[in-house]
Amino acid sequence: MKDISRRSVFQIIGSVPVVAALTDQTASAASAPYQRKVFDDRQWRTVHVLCDLIVPADEVSGSATAAGVPEFIDDWLDFRNREDGNHNFTAQILGGLQWLDLESNRLFQTAFAGATRDQQKQILDRIAWPARAAAADHPWVTFFSKFRDLTVSGFFSSKIGVADLPYLGNRAVAEWKGCDPKVWAIIEERMKNGYQGLGGEVKPLLS
């Protein structure tokens, strides 16, 4: 966790599920009080803390909770329960949240949400990097990867998150200067050698 900068989150986005495209609801906070569907009070506190550890506020925009990500995750889990016909995905998320509390209580005699920031990061550092994780922590590595994906998806499909992206959208510009030469040089080099996709496969060039 301590090695992740705010902008490093863009490296994660390429592998996250495009959950926002599957629902008309965004992660922005609703005007009416949100009615939880999955999380209880204890889990809800943990989700808020964990979301903001993954996407904290910075000089550009607010945090994940300010963007309504906890509500997004709760709604998404409810959607998965109904669409999948089972609670397997939700059980994995809830199990991970429970483990955070159990581990925090074992190490620091307090629930995860009540631990200090350094104590919280000490636990998360064990599961945030799959290659570094101990074998005993591997189930929680999977949990954290999925929770992080949901957090990033929720944040960057919210009004706050979209505004945080360096994307202008369909806006008129006074002068079109074309692609940045440095960027185009990288594109040409990759096209010359074949494009390596996210999964590591080398894709053939289009003729």
Side-chain angles (χ1 to χ4, degrees):
M1 290 296 295
K2 62 185 178 183
D3 297 332
I4 300 180
S5 67
R6 174 63 178 273
R7 297 305 164 190
S8 294
V9 77
F10 290 108
Q11 298 175 6
I12 302 170
I13 295 177
S15 62
V16 300
V18 189
V19 296
L22 302 180
T23 176
D24 292 333
Q25 294 185 344
T26 66
S28 58
S31 56
Y34 179 76
Q35 300 297 316
R36 278 177 275 152
K37 305 175 181 69
V38 174
F39 298 122
D40 62 24
D41 290 345
R42 186 185 185 92
Q43 295 159 350
W44 194 236
R45 288 191 294 271
T46 306
V47 167
H48 276 70
V49 169
L50 189 55
C51 283
D52 280 354
L53 284 168
I54 295 170
V55 183
D58 65 3
E59 68 282 358
V60 177
S61 65
S63 67
T65 57
V69 173
E71 292 83 356
F72 173 86
I73 295 176
D74 182 75
D75 192 62
W76 174 248
L77 293 180
D78 179 64
F79 171 79
R80 284 289 302 268
N81 291 342
R82 290 182 281 107
E83 291 300 308
D84 296 348
N86 61 62
H87 291 68
N88 295 346
F89 188 82
T90 295
Q92 187 171 35
I93 298 299
L94 298 185
L97 296 176
Q98 182 179 23
W99 177 82
L100 290 176
D101 275 342
L102 291 173
E103 198 66 2
S104 183
N105 274 302
R106 182 180 71 84
L107 296 172
F108 312 118
Q109 295 72 55
T110 184
F112 184 81
T116 68
R117 186 59 59 92
D118 286 343
Q119 290 170 342
Q120 292 164 349
K121 289 186 176 182
Q122 182 178 324
I123 295 174
L124 295 183
D125 280 344
R126 291 165 45 190
I127 59 175
W129 311 99
R132 306 178 194 173
D137 287 338
H138 281 176
W140 318 118
V141 169
T142 302
F143 147 74
F144 184 72
S145 294
K146 291 184 177 181
F147 192 95
R148 180 170 50 195
D149 288 351
L150 286 172
T151 301
V152 173
S153 297
F155 182 79
F156 285 105
S157 63
S158 72
K159 184 176 181 180
I160 290 177
V162 169
D164 195 41
L165 291 168
Y167 173 65
L168 296 178
N170 296 323
R171 299 184 184 180
V173 293
E175 179 184 4
W176 170 245
K177 298 181 180 180
C179 182
D180 185 302
K182 293 181 181 179
V183 175
W184 184 245
I186 294 173
I187 294 173
E188 285 188 318
E189 185 65 24
R190 290 184 178 180
M191 291 176 66
K192 183 191 307 180
N193 298 319
Y195 171 66
Q196 185 171 346
L198 292 173
E201 73 280 9
V202 176
K203 300 181 179 181
L205 299 178
L206 298 176
S207 57

